[in-house]
């Protein structure tokens, strides 16, 4: 039988997911606190010895106005993927949670490589259906990532494994006076400004300042804000999360100026060094496009992350267990319309006031010798 994790058993649950090879920060109650619009619940299954052997952390979000909720198991479950009995109990627990919260769908995007066809078939046997997905960033979490195996490796060994160009750019940043520091909430405002600049340049919607500040509070020692400075001025930044045997690169931002100083290369190297320091198994660069053709606008991102010699990894994807077809179809259309409207509002709000707009004009007049956007 499954059990719901309570405040009393939460420390045991957290210890389990941190120690398990399939553990993920998105399965933690700390991440649940970060997602303020969602209600976090966790389910666990115990073995004969009384210890937890499998779990699912589930985020629950009620639809505005309507009596329906989405249940989302982000990068779960955490268990032996070949243990059919445990998986069955976890899914039953998720279904019972759905009844309690009027769930219309249980969504899951496991941390499972696409090669594991047996697990895909296991999910399908429970009624989950794989959602049609594109090659870029259409799903909630990226389906394609780069992962660097850092287990038992020294900094020298890792640095030597990077491409010659990446090693050069890491050292170039240092020679040009770029300094990377681990910062606190005092630098969140500057990081957010640079993030907005990046979003306007690369056409994506960014989080607000409070979201990043709350992340440092909610995840504590598990989260770091890295900022790159040049002559005392912040020019780029990243947010990384350490949990269990992994470090994830979660957010990155760079100003339109000083990109020729290659701060992003040095920032990546410092986050990789954190993974080594914590004796991790994996450093996760997170999302890239699955379309590897050079004319893809996201090819530069792929090339940047590939140069650090990580493994290109495709997950099995996003799966939905539909519990109410009516609410599923209706809210899918409503959510898409809301997202499109929100994106339009964001662009209109920031286009006139953000420094990226004017800086972009200046970039276009610079020679390629001084500015090569493909470097980042």
């Amino acid at each position: 039988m499954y059990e719901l994790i309570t405040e009393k058993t939460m420390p045991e649950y957290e210890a389990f997911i941190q120690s398990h090879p399939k553990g993920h920060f998105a399965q933690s109650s700390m991440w649940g606190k970060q997602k303020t619009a969602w209600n976090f619940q966790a389910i666990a299954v115990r073995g004969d010895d009384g210890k937890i052997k499998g779990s699912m952390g589930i985020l629950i979000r009620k639809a505005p106005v309507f009596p329906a909720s989405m249940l989302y198991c982000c990068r779960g479950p955490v268990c032996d993927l070949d243990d059919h009995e445990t998986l069955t109990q976890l899914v039953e627990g998720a279904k019972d949670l759905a009844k309690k919260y009027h769930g219309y769908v249980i969504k899951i995007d496991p941390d499972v490589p696409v090669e594991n066809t047996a697990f895909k078939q296991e999910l399908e046997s429970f009624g989950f259906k794989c959602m049609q997905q594109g090659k870029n960033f259409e799903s909630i979490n990226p389906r394609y990532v780069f992962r660097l195996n850092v287990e038992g490796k020294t900094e020298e060994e890792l640095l030597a494994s990077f491409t010659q160009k990446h090693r050069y750019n890491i050292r170039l940043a240092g020679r040009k006076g770029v300094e990377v520091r681990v910062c606190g909430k005092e630098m969140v405002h500057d990081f957010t400004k640079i993030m907005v600049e990046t979003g306007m340049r690369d056409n994506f919607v960014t989080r607000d300042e409070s979201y990043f500040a709350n992340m440092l509070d909610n995840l504590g020692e598990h989260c770091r804000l890295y900022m790159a400075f040049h002559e005392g001025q912040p020019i780029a930044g990243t947010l990384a999360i350490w949990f269990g045997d992994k470090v994830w690169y979660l957010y990155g931002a760079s100003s339109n100026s000083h990109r020729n100083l290659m701060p992003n290369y040095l920032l990546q190297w410092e986050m990789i060094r954190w993974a080594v320091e914590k004796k991790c198994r994996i450093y996760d660069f997170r999302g890239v496009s699955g379309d590897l053709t050079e004319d893809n606008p996201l090819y530069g991102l792929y090339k940047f992350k590939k140069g650090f010699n990580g493994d290109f990894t495709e997950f099995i994807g996003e799966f939905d267990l539909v519990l109410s077809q009516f609410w599923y179809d209706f809210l899918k259309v409503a959510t898409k319309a809301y997202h499109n409207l929100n994106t339009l509002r964001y662009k209109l709000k920031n286009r006139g006031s953000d420094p990226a707009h004017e800086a972009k004009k200046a970039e276009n007049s610079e020679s390629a010798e001084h500015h090569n956007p493909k470097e980042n």
Side-chain angles (χ1 to χ4, degrees):
M1 278 294 294
Y2 73 88
E3 66 179 71
L4 287 177
I5 294 298
T6 64
E7 186 177 346
K8 182 179 179 180
T9 55
M10 187 62 75
E12 182 186 6
Y13 168 82
E14 291 288 345
F16 169 73
I17 59 174
Q18 284 205 58
S19 63
H20 199 282
K22 301 304 295 181
H24 197 285
F25 72 86
Q27 285 288 292
S28 169
S29 61
M30 292 185 291
W31 190 245
K33 292 177 182 177
Q34 178 66 20
K35 311 306 286 185
T36 55
W38 301 70
N39 174 19
F40 177 82
Q41 298 286 327
I43 304 163
V45 173
R46 296 184 183 274
D48 294 336
D49 58 1
K51 296 180 179 179
I52 296 175
K53 66 173 182 175
S55 66
M56 287 176 72
I58 298 177
L59 292 164
I60 304 164
R61 183 165 188 170
K62 184 184 179 303
V65 182
F66 306 107
S69 297
M70 171 194 287
L71 280 72
Y72 176 37
C73 178
C74 182
R75 294 310 196 207
V78 179
C79 66
D80 177 356
L81 300 180
D82 296 321
D83 186 344
H84 175 77
E85 180 185 354
T86 296
L87 286 168
T88 300
Q89 293 179 51
L90 290 172
V91 171
E92 287 305 311
K95 287 181 178 179
D96 286 346
L97 265 183
K99 291 177 184 177
K100 179 180 178 180
Y101 290 96
H102 307 288
Y104 67 93
V105 64
I106 300 172
K107 186 178 289 289
I108 188 170
D109 52 4
D111 186 343
V112 177
V114 71
E115 293 81 11
N116 192 338
T117 56
F119 186 76
K120 180 177 183 290
Q121 292 169 0
E122 184 86 52
L123 285 179
E124 290 171 343
S125 74
F126 294 129
F128 285 91
K129 293 184 179 180
C130 186
M131 308 309 298
Q132 186 175 6
Q133 297 174 72
K135 292 285 189 177
N136 294 319
F137 295 98
E138 292 84 0
S139 52
I140 297 176
N141 270 299
R143 183 169 183 174
Y144 306 90
V145 302
F146 266 108
R147 284 183 156 179
L148 179 65
N149 184 346
V150 299
E151 187 174 19
K153 296 178 182 177
T154 65
E155 292 181 9
E156 291 74 19
E157 289 170 334
L158 288 166
L159 189 62
S161 72
F162 303 161
T163 65
Q164 187 276 333
K165 179 182 178 181
H166 277 53
R167 293 196 303 271
Y168 175 83
N169 285 341
I170 289 169
R171 291 168 179 145
L172 174 68
R175 289 198 305 270
K176 294 291 186 178
V178 177
E179 179 188 0
V180 172
R181 304 176 209 157
V182 177
C183 299
K185 288 168 64 177
E186 75 283 352
M187 288 304 301
V188 168
H189 179 70
D190 293 272
F191 174 74
T192 306
K193 284 176 61 179
I194 299 173
M195 179 62 80
V196 170
E197 195 171 331
T198 305
M200 294 299 294
R201 181 180 69 231
D202 296 337
N203 195 33
F204 64 85
V205 177
T206 64
R207 300 284 189 176
D208 60 29
E209 186 173 329
S210 63
Y211 186 87
F212 300 125
N214 290 340
M215 190 179 296
L216 293 177
D217 286 336
N218 291 327
L219 280 88
E221 66 173 352
H222 293 274
C223 183
R224 279 187 176 181
L225 171 61
Y226 288 85
M227 294 295 293
F229 297 84
H230 183 254
E231 297 179 349
Q233 177 186 351
I235 60 173
T238 56
L239 267 166
I241 292 179
W242 155 62
F243 192 84
D245 62 357
K246 305 173 190 72
V247 166
W248 289 264
Y249 160 47
L250 210 63
Y251 291 101
S254 60
S255 66
N256 290 322
S257 58
H258 301 101
R259 295 175 73 199
N260 60 309
L261 301 180
M262 307 301 168
N264 291 348
Y265 290 85
L266 189 57
L267 283 163
Q268 288 293 334
W269 174 233
E270 290 302 324
M271 291 186 291
I272 292 170
R273 291 183 65 209
W274 189 29
V276 173
E277 174 193 331
K278 289 298 183 181
K279 296 180 170 45
C280 288
R281 182 170 56 92
I282 290 172
Y283 175 80
D284 195 322
F285 291 90
R286 296 260 295 166
V288 292
S289 173
D291 177 3
L292 307 184
T293 57
E294 293 192 16
D295 58 350
N296 183 347
L298 294 171
Y299 182 76
L301 180 65
Y302 164 83
K303 190 175 179 182
F304 170 69
K305 294 182 178 181
K306 183 178 186 295
F308 290 96
N309 198 36
D311 297 317
F312 180 73
T313 304
E314 179 184 354
F315 296 121
I316 62 173
E318 198 173 283
F319 289 75
D320 283 358
L321 178 59
V322 178
L323 305 173
S324 170
Q325 193 67 52
F326 170 79
W327 287 117
Y328 183 80
D329 293 338
F330 175 78
L331 291 171
K332 191 174 183 179
V333 173
T335 300
K336 184 177 181 179
Y338 174 80
H339 173 75
N340 291 340
L341 179 60
N342 195 41
T343 301
L344 178 61
R345 285 174 175 170
Y346 174 86
K347 289 179 178 179
L348 292 174
K349 176 184 176 183
N350 288 287
R351 182 173 57 182
S353 59
D354 189 79
H357 185 63
E358 293 304 317
K360 195 69 179 175
K361 295 179 183 177
E363 281 186 275
N364 293 334
S365 66
E366 292 178 352
S367 68
E369 180 182 358
H370 292 93
H371 177 74
N372 181 2
K374 291 184 179 179
E375 293 295 339
N376 290 334

